[in-house]
Amino acid sequence: MWSREQLAARAAKELQDGFYVNLGIGIPTLVANYIEHDQHIVLQSENGMLGMGPFPYAGEEDADLINAGKQTISTLPYSSFFSSADSFAMIRGGHIDLSILGAMEVAENGDLANWMVPGKMIKGMGGAMDLVAGVKRVVVVMEHVAKDGSAKFKPKCLLPLTGANVVDMLITDLAVFSRPDRNSKFELIELAPGVTVEEINAKTTAAFTLKAPMASI
Amino acid sequence: MWSREQLAARAAKELQDGFYVNLGIGIPTLVANYIEHDQHIVLQSENGMLGMGPFPYAGEEDADLINAGKQTISTLPYSSFFSSADSFAMIRGGHIDLSILGAMEVAENGDLANWMVPGKMIKGMGGAMDLVAGVKRVVVVMEHVAKDGSAKFKPKCLLPLTGANVVDMLITDLAVFSRPDRNSKFELIELAPGVTVEEINAKTTAAFTLKAPMASI
Amino acid sequence: MIPSVAISNQRKVFPDATSALQGLLSDGITVMSGGFGLCGIPENLLLALRDSSVKNLTIISNNAGIDDVGLGMLLKTRQVKKMISSYVGENKEFERQYLAGELQIEFNPQGTLAERIRAGGAGIYGFYTRTGAGTSVAEGKESRIVNGQTYILEMGLTADVAIVKAWRGDTEGNLIYRKTARNFNPVMATAARVTVAEVEELVPAGSFDPDHIHTPGIYVQRLIQGTHYTKQIEQRTVRPRS
Amino acid sequence: MIPSVAISNQRKVFPDATSALQGLLSDGITVMSGGFGLCGIPENLLLALRDSSVKNLTIISNNAGIDDVGLGMLLKTRQVKKMISSYVGENKEFERQYLAGELQIEFNPQGTLAERIRAGGAGIYGFYTRTGAGTSVAEGKESRIVNGQTYILEMGLTADVAIVKAWRGDTEGNLIYRKTARNFNPVMATAARVTVAEVEELVPAGSFDPDHIHTPGIYVQRLIQGTHYTKQIEQRTVRPRS
């Protein structure tokens, strides 16, 4: 089983040198800590920035410089700013290589639900629907099961969707599922240390295929 | 009968203090020479500029600074530059108060034809269709009759249209026709010196109404 | 070509937020308000809008402020009938009014909201986007399937009044924004019958490099130099000096 | 948050126009080419495109250059099969090929052309505009009437390669344009599978104020420092010194 930090580190392996990347709030934000030093990764913030830098040093916070989570950030030498319309033109137009997002549910057909918490006040989808509809590759990171132990990787999402057939890879604290394209089924390609295929089977209601050598892990 | 310069001067009377204005190529360009000195008129050039200044002094031409007629121009203290997409968002979105354009034919219902010369190579409509579709008020300046003496203000345009029901005012070398809105007919409101209603009737095939006191001019 | 005289458009400049909104407000109008969270919000104009006591407003704004700050002030005074937003967390009074059925909310995906506003300002009646296809956002909307992709039709959005915040403005209404405080401000400036801007620094026309202007003056009908900016930070996050 | 290291994206920088187009060209592709008239055209990349001898091109460009200059060079060498433009005057060879049926032309209203390219780059499948309603431009297109206004549906436009010209660029691909040489360049940079930019001055990343960047580097896959700019003026018009 992977910790939050390990999950973020695993997700960071999906980054490729030269990628433009949008990271969601929560665990996805931690992914930035695991970017390889020889990789040139440019982070986009959907409120209107490319080249998002680290949190500022205390005393250097700038109220005019925040990320989509409303956290204070900093610039880098190659940063640029633009309007919300231009930012989402960038996202919707398929110019971002990768988005890493959290989820409440993922369905075996790639449907994603991550914007409405059942029984809670609806706060809105923010930019999540735009990201999953527009970004070239969508990687979801989430805990494998809900607090009550029920499966979150399911035959069908029960919560309202953020996007239909939009997930390319699912990384949970127990395993990694991937598919080569959006017409394919998810394949279990990796297990966290100490996790067995049997455990995954027990905690997953979605149908998925097994990578050939996986059975022997 | 009005000369080209007089025509331009008459068209300039349609400018109001504070207006943002787009002037077409030809006689409309001359209108800029007749802006009152106490009027603040901002000229838009559809290739991406607000606050178009006069032609530069010899030796100060800048190849990066041209108007939509590809003529060298200059800046003013309040100029701004933007992309073609932003320029036509401005035009299409109804932010320009007035456009003054040339024409080959105007129909009594306000249809305008000014982009295809019969029997000649088609060069394209440039920004003319966008201007007539988007600008709040469209004033056409043209010679009253064609070289062969035939009427250019007609029951119906015979040439391919630039826009349907888009002309608000027509200023020719003989007279001025106007209408309060695009559901109304054109009214003859002004005659050039020495021109009679009879002459207009003889040289116009479009139906128009007569302003009450006009008969006595 | 016009002679090179430069009469500055001083009529656009108003002494304060209250006078800048004079004559523009009436109950039931639609107001666009710039900003992302509390970043780049028109602080002075929001205060004046609250003090005007105008009611039953439809507010188009990405967020709804937080309690007592930004649009949160207008929620507290019950001046808002409806919000068109993408995310309204961080606001207890909002939640209370919404759950009590006192406040309507129309959620738009953030990019769809931005693009609808751009379309409204650019004379685009509507546009087809993949965003929201297959979700509740698509309900009741036209759609079409092209090469296996579903696109939904979203409509342009306009307002009676837009209030926006820029960093610097000139007397001609040209605006320059600063960092991520730009956000929804430039696009909202294009999409209202009347746009009122507030700036931290008002300068004479001619002060800006014309290549650096973000919002050309044509989009700004009135502007003021704002005062007493608080620029509250919602999530002050720092890193240790190593 | 990422550590504040700045690895410059030097891989985007190519030594010259020929190498920057290497591997991108093949007969029959669609190329967007920036500029308005001869203002802001990618002079070096157009030369390299001509010298590549690639054929049957579809060129999306507001104009077609003039004889022997700009796209006029590619017309002379018969490399162009089709033009998508708004205005193609000032070009005798164009006229000859068109009248001989050797060249196809699709005219778009200038603003519709710009917006179609923006839509292509912004993931908008299509949009409704009043421009062209009731004219030959509307023929064969869907339309709808709303409040008495007719809107026609225009489609997003993309290309295999875009060649654009900026004034200054940094090694990250961030671009800044100068005056009216901006025109179609920024929007075309967003709408192609691969965008190649040429700049008059190439500077290290970090040289630009991030508020002044017109085209963020994400849109530029390759760039070069151009040489030998001629910047021909089509209509040199001056006023007398009084």
Side-chain angles (χ1 to χ4, degrees):
Chain A
M1 185 168 159
W2 285 314
S3 66
R4 277 170 61 93
E5 291 291 339
Q6 288 169 323
L7 236 179
R10 175 58 190 84
K13 289 188 184 170
E14 300 306 313
L15 304 176
Q16 291 176 30
D17 191 27
F19 264 21
Y20 291 88
V21 177
N22 185 295
L23 299 176
I25 293 168
I27 296 175
T29 302
L30 300 176
V31 172
N33 297 327
Y34 297 93
I35 295 173
E36 303 282 344
H37 275 268
D38 59 353
Q39 279 186 330
H40 184 59
I41 304 291
V42 180
L43 298 182
Q44 203 249 17
S45 191
E46 66 261 31
N47 53 321
M49 182 181 192
L50 264 181
M52 185 165 56
F55 296 135
Y57 293 118
E60 294 181 3
E61 310 92 313
D62 183 340
D64 290 338
L65 183 50
I66 63 169
N67 66 16
K70 285 134 190 166
Q71 297 170 314
T72 42
I73 50 167
S74 64
T75 53
L76 293 171
Y78 45 83
S79 301
S80 57
F81 297 109
F82 32 82
S83 73
S84 298
D86 287 345
S87 180
F88 283 95
M90 197 178 279
I91 290 167
R92 194 189 308 103
H95 303 282
I96 310 283
D97 296 294
L98 181 70
S99 183
I100 302 179
L101 297 166
M104 297 168 197
E105 294 179 338
V106 172
E108 62 187 42
N109 66 352
D111 289 358
L112 168 68
N114 74 351
W115 75 283
M116 280 175 63
V117 188
K120 285 200 181 170
M121 164 77 187
I122 306 167
K123 292 185 169 181
M125 68 290 282
M129 287 190 181
D130 308 281
L131 283 163
V132 300
V135 171
K136 283 180 201 153
R137 185 156 189 263
V138 173
V139 172
V140 165
V141 292
M142 68 175 188
E143 291 180 359
H144 200 91
V145 295
K147 279 179 186 152
D148 66 0
S150 64
K152 295 173 73 177
F153 186 28
K154 301 176 147 173
K156 201 174 175 323
C157 292
L158 300 178
L159 295 172
L161 295 189
T162 305
N165 188 14
V166 295
V167 179
D168 297 295
M169 177 179 258
L170 168 62
I171 307 176
T172 76
D173 49 349
L174 302 183
V176 181
F177 303 85
S178 185
R179 56 180 183 163
D181 59 66
R182 294 184 183 174
N183 295 317
S184 301
K185 288 188 196 309
F186 281 96
E187 186 178 57
L188 174 62
I189 60 163
E190 219 174 307
L191 292 168
V195 177
T196 63
V197 173
E198 290 65 35
E199 182 179 353
I200 297 300
N201 278 331
K203 292 178 172 174
T204 309
T205 53
F208 58 89
T209 62
L210 220 59
K211 197 177 175 184
M214 179 61 68
S216 64
I217 282 179
Chain B
M1 187 169 160
W2 284 315
S3 67
R4 277 168 62 95
E5 290 291 339
Q6 286 169 324
L7 235 178
R10 175 59 191 83
K13 289 188 183 170
E14 299 307 310
L15 304 176
Q16 291 175 29
D17 192 27
F19 263 20
Y20 291 88
V21 176
N22 185 294
L23 301 176
I25 293 167
I27 296 176
T29 302
L30 300 177
V31 172
N33 296 327
Y34 297 93
I35 295 172
E36 303 281 344
H37 274 268
D38 59 351
Q39 278 186 332
H40 186 58
I41 303 292
V42 180
L43 299 181
Q44 203 247 17
S45 191
E46 66 260 31
N47 53 320
M49 182 182 193
L50 264 181
M52 183 166 56
F55 296 135
Y57 293 118
E60 294 181 3
E61 310 92 313
D62 183 341
D64 289 340
L65 182 50
I66 63 169
N67 65 16
K70 285 133 191 170
Q71 296 170 313
T72 42
I73 49 166
S74 65
T75 54
L76 293 171
Y78 45 83
S79 301
S80 57
F81 297 108
F82 32 83
S83 73
S84 298
D86 287 345
S87 180
F88 283 94
M90 196 178 280
I91 290 167
R92 195 188 309 101
H95 303 282
I96 309 284
D97 296 294
L98 181 69
S99 183
I100 302 180
L101 297 167
M104 296 168 200
E105 293 179 337
V106 172
E108 61 187 41
N109 67 352
D111 288 359
L112 169 68
N114 75 350
W115 75 282
M116 278 175 64
V117 188
K120 284 198 182 170
M121 163 79 188
I122 305 167
K123 292 184 171 181
M125 69 291 281
M129 286 190 181
D130 309 280
L131 284 163
V132 300
V135 171
K136 284 180 200 152
R137 186 156 187 264
V138 173
V139 173
V140 165
V141 292
M142 67 176 189
E143 291 181 359
H144 200 91
V145 294
K147 279 180 186 151
D148 64 1
S150 63
K152 294 173 75 176
F153 186 28
K154 301 176 150 175
K156 200 174 178 319
C157 292
L158 300 179
L159 295 172
L161 295 188
T162 306
N165 189 11
V166 295
V167 180
D168 296 295
M169 179 180 255
L170 167 62
I171 307 178
T172 75
D173 48 350
L174 303 183
V176 181
F177 302 85
S178 184
R179 55 179 185 166
D181 60 65
R182 293 185 183 175
N183 296 316
S184 301
K185 288 187 196 313
F186 281 96
E187 186 177 57
L188 173 63
I189 60 163
E190 219 174 304
L191 292 168
V195 176
T196 63
V197 173
E198 289 66 36
E199 182 178 354
I200 298 300
N201 278 330
K203 292 178 171 173
T204 309
T205 53
F208 58 89
T209 62
L210 221 59
K211 197 177 176 186
M214 179 61 70
S216 65
I217 282 176
Chain C
M1 293 293 101
I2 69 168
S4 62
V5 308
I7 300 163
S8 180
N9 215 340
Q10 278 287 359
R11 281 160 312 182
K12 289 191 177 182
V13 179
F14 283 68
D16 55 40
T18 302
S19 60
L21 292 177
Q22 200 82 47
L24 302 182
L25 306 177
S26 56
D27 292 351
I29 65 168
T30 298
V31 177
M32 286 181 182
S33 182
F36 180 89
L38 300 180
C39 182
I41 59 171
E43 296 188 20
N44 290 268
L45 292 164
L46 283 167
L47 272 169
L49 189 58
R50 182 197 63 184
D51 294 344
S52 75
S53 299
V54 67
K55 275 185 287 291
N56 288 320
L57 296 173
T58 294
I59 303 276
I60 302 172
S61 185
N62 189 57
N63 314 97
I66 62 174
D67 289 309
D68 302 328
V69 184
L71 285 166
M73 299 186 304
L74 281 87
L75 291 166
K76 195 177 183 184
T77 51
R78 309 288 196 86
Q79 290 171 267
V80 183
K81 180 185 67 182
K82 181 179 178 181
M83 291 287 312
I84 299 178
S85 304
S86 89
Y87 187 81
V88 295
E90 286 88 62
N91 197 316
K92 284 202 175 50
E93 176 62 17
F94 186 104
E95 191 163 340
R96 196 200 60 69
Q97 289 182 29
Y98 176 72
L99 294 174
E102 297 165 16
L103 184 63
Q104 302 165 45
I105 169 86
E106 177 193 313
F107 283 118
N108 283 237
Q110 193 173 155
T112 294
L113 182 62
E115 188 68 12
R116 288 183 66 196
I117 297 167
R118 181 190 177 278
I124 302 291
Y125 168 71
F127 58 90
Y128 285 98
T129 175
R130 283 195 305 271
T131 302
T135 78
S136 59
V137 164
E139 284 167 20
K141 289 175 186 158
E142 290 180 49
S143 67
R144 62 178 63 201
I145 299 172
V146 187
N147 296 331
Q149 284 283 359
T150 304
Y151 295 85
I152 61 176
L153 180 62
E154 295 280 3
M155 301 301 174
L157 207 51
T158 58
D160 297 298
V161 177
I163 53 176
V164 304
K165 154 76 167 57
W167 177 41
R168 302 177 77 205
D170 71 18
T171 49
E172 190 73 12
N174 293 307
L175 303 179
I176 293 178
Y177 306 91
R178 186 171 176 272
K179 301 187 180 180
T180 57
R182 193 183 314 185
N183 56 61
F184 279 86
N185 286 298
V187 74
M188 286 182 172
T190 69
R193 210 168 40 76
V194 181
T195 292
V196 187
E198 62 174 87
V199 299
E200 292 180 54
E201 191 188 356
L202 182 63
V203 297
S207 305
F208 297 153
D209 180 332
D211 279 324
H212 294 170
I213 291 168
H214 297 132
T215 292
I218 192 171
Y219 291 117
V220 177
Q221 281 71 48
R222 302 180 178 190
L223 82 161
I224 61 159
Q225 164 131 14
T227 56
H228 301 96
Y229 283 102
T230 60
K231 290 201 185 183
Q232 195 168 316
I233 291 172
E234 286 185 69
Q235 304 284 338
R236 189 175 303 271
T237 320
V238 298
R239 63 180 153 150
R241 287 180 194 270
S242 56
Chain D
M1 292 296 102
I2 68 169
S4 63
V5 307
I7 301 165
S8 180
N9 214 340
Q10 278 288 358
R11 280 160 312 179
K12 289 191 178 184
V13 179
F14 283 68
D16 54 42
T18 302
S19 59
L21 292 178
Q22 200 82 46
L24 303 181
L25 305 178
S26 56
D27 290 351
I29 65 169
T30 298
V31 177
M32 286 182 182
S33 181
F36 179 90
L38 300 180
C39 182
I41 59 171
E43 296 187 20
N44 289 268
L45 291 164
L46 282 169
L47 271 168
L49 190 57
R50 182 198 63 183
D51 293 344
S52 76
S53 300
V54 65
K55 273 184 289 288
N56 286 322
L57 297 174
T58 293
I59 303 277
I60 301 172
S61 185
N62 189 57
N63 313 97
I66 60 174
D67 288 310
D68 302 328
V69 184
L71 285 166
M73 297 186 305
L74 281 87
L75 290 166
K76 195 175 181 185
T77 50
R78 310 288 196 85
Q79 289 171 268
V80 184
K81 179 184 67 181
K82 181 179 177 181
M83 291 288 311
I84 300 178
S85 304
S86 89
Y87 187 81
V88 295
E90 285 88 61
N91 198 316
K92 284 201 176 51
E93 176 62 17
F94 187 102
E95 192 165 339
R96 195 200 60 68
Q97 288 183 28
Y98 177 72
L99 295 175
E102 297 166 16
L103 184 64
Q104 303 165 45
I105 169 87
E106 178 193 312
F107 283 117
N108 283 236
Q110 193 173 153
T112 294
L113 181 63
E115 188 68 13
R116 289 184 67 196
I117 298 166
R118 181 190 176 278
I124 303 291
Y125 168 70
F127 58 90
Y128 285 98
T129 175
R130 284 196 305 275
T131 302
T135 78
S136 59
V137 164
E139 284 166 20
K141 290 175 185 158
E142 289 180 50
S143 67
R144 63 177 63 200
I145 300 173
V146 188
N147 297 329
Q149 285 282 1
T150 303
Y151 295 85
I152 61 176
L153 180 61
E154 295 279 3
M155 301 300 174
L157 206 51
T158 57
D160 297 298
V161 176
I163 53 175
V164 304
K165 153 75 169 56
W167 177 42
R168 302 178 76 205
D170 72 17
T171 49
E172 189 73 12
N174 294 307
L175 302 180
I176 292 179
Y177 306 92
R178 185 170 176 274
K179 302 189 180 177
T180 56
R182 192 183 314 185
N183 55 64
F184 279 84
N185 285 297
V187 73
M188 285 181 172
T190 70
R193 209 168 41 75
V194 180
T195 291
V196 186
E198 62 174 85
V199 298
E200 292 180 53
E201 192 189 356
L202 182 63
V203 298
S207 305
F208 296 152
D209 180 331
D211 280 323
H212 294 171
I213 290 167
H214 297 134
T215 292
I218 191 172
Y219 291 117
V220 178
Q221 282 70 48
R222 302 181 178 189
L223 81 162
I224 60 159
Q225 165 132 13
T227 55
H228 301 95
Y229 284 102
T230 61
K231 291 202 186 182
Q232 194 168 319
I233 291 174
E234 284 186 70
Q235 303 285 338
R236 189 176 303 271
T237 320
V238 298
R239 63 180 152 150
R241 290 182 192 268
S242 55

